[in-house]
Amino acid sequence: EAGVAQSPRYKIIEKRQSVAFWCNPISGHATLYWYQQILGQGPKLLIQFQNNGVVDDSQLPKDRFSAERLKGVDSTLKIQPAKLEDSAVYLCASSTPVSTDTQYFGPGTRLTVL
Amino acid sequence: QKEVEQNSGPLSVPEGAIASLNCTYSDRVSQSFFWYRQYSGKSPELIMSIYSNGDKEDGRFTAQLNKASQYVSLLIRDSQPSDSATYLCAVNSGGGADGLTFGKGTHLIIQP
């Protein structure tokens, strides 16, 4: 079974630029999560989708971050404009509709904002 | 705001000994508890989940949960150098919004 795919793996941008990350969850996984992991900290949930609907986006900085999952499969997370403090690893995870507790993480996208 | 607290370490343990990792959480309605292992530069990997008070054993790993004390622990028996990693404690409420709240992680070093 293929795992969660993410791209790009690394991205370097300057502050005030825009960036987008892509995630393809495990086939059949209805629930998709985006987490932000700043160096030395645990992952922080940004947004959770159930199929193509948003379940929780309470910690998403909506003035600059947006996310979508149009067809209930792939998802895109966008930052516009980026700030220095957005430098982090952005992790996508997915889970099955049977057991939403078991989340499988992708390899992550490491973002550096200069 | 939900909080999960862990000692960041590093925790240094001799090879073959028992490593004990601890975690406390603030939200009393938390229902599900997890331990993830994260190697440097890699993504978190689930190693244990526990949902009810008591112990749960899986190979060399034992998770312990005490909801009254809001305390979760992970024991690693016969520690191996390959166990050297950061161990993340995570909880969720088990409700409709079931994203995880993570601690900062404990850096474990197994000394050969």
Side-chain angles (χ1 to χ4, degrees):
Chain A
E1 179 181 75
V4 176
Q6 290 188 246
S7 68
R9 294 294 312 277
Y10 306 92
K11 190 73 176 179
I12 300 174
I13 62 172
E14 295 189 351
K15 60 183 179 182
R16 292 188 289 273
Q17 287 187 324
S18 301
V19 65
F21 313 126
W22 173 83
C23 173
N24 187 355
I26 293 173
S27 178
H29 282 197
T31 309
L32 184 148
Y33 314 81
W34 284 101
Y35 290 87
Q36 178 194 57
Q37 187 172 23
I38 294 172
L39 186 64
Q41 299 184 19
K44 170 188 162 185
L45 179 70
L46 293 177
I47 189 167
Q48 176 188 347
F49 291 95
Q50 179 75 19
N51 295 309
N52 60 350
V54 175
V55 175
D56 182 3
D57 63 356
S58 58
Q59 299 190 89
L60 186 73
K62 299 180 185 64
D63 58 334
R64 298 184 300 106
F65 286 65
S66 63
E68 61 183 12
R69 194 184 184 199
L70 293 177
K71 296 183 179 179
V73 181
D74 294 5
S75 178
T76 302
L77 176 70
K78 297 179 181 178
I79 308 175
Q80 179 179 13
K83 293 185 175 181
L84 297 177
E85 58 261 37
D86 298 332
S87 293
V89 175
Y90 290 84
L91 295 161
C92 179
S94 69
S95 62
T96 68
V98 174
S99 173
T100 55
D101 283 344
T102 305
Q103 298 184 21
Y104 299 89
F105 283 83
T109 297
R110 183 177 298 275
L111 173 67
T112 301
V113 182
L114 303 176
Chain B
Q1 184 173 352
K2 301 175 186 178
E3 292 185 351
V4 177
E5 299 289 339
Q6 294 182 257
N7 187 323
S8 60
L11 174 65
S12 186
V13 173
E15 182 176 357
I18 296 175
S20 178
L21 305 164
N22 304 314
C23 167
T24 59
Y25 59 94
S26 64
D27 189 355
R28 285 194 169 272
V29 302
S30 298
Q31 296 184 20
S32 305
F33 307 86
F34 308 90
W35 285 98
Y36 281 81
R37 178 175 62 199
Q38 187 171 31
Y39 293 114
S40 181
K42 302 295 185 182
S43 58
E45 171 193 15
L46 181 65
I47 54 172
M48 289 288 288
S49 59
I50 187 167
Y51 305 98
S52 53
N53 282 329
D55 295 0
K56 179 181 178 183
E57 186 174 320
D58 184 0
R60 297 187 296 111
F61 298 96
T62 299
Q64 300 174 317
L65 174 61
N66 183 327
K67 289 186 178 180
S69 300
Q70 296 177 240
Y71 178 88
V72 194
S73 66
L74 179 70
L75 301 178
I76 306 175
R77 291 181 299 281
D78 188 23
S79 296
Q80 302 297 311
S82 59
D83 295 326
S84 297
T86 295
Y87 289 80
L88 297 162
C89 175
V91 306
N92 72 15
S93 64
D98 51 7
L100 295 172
T101 300
F102 283 87
K104 291 186 177 182
T106 297
H107 184 205
L108 176 66
I109 299 171
I110 305 301
Q111 296 178 321

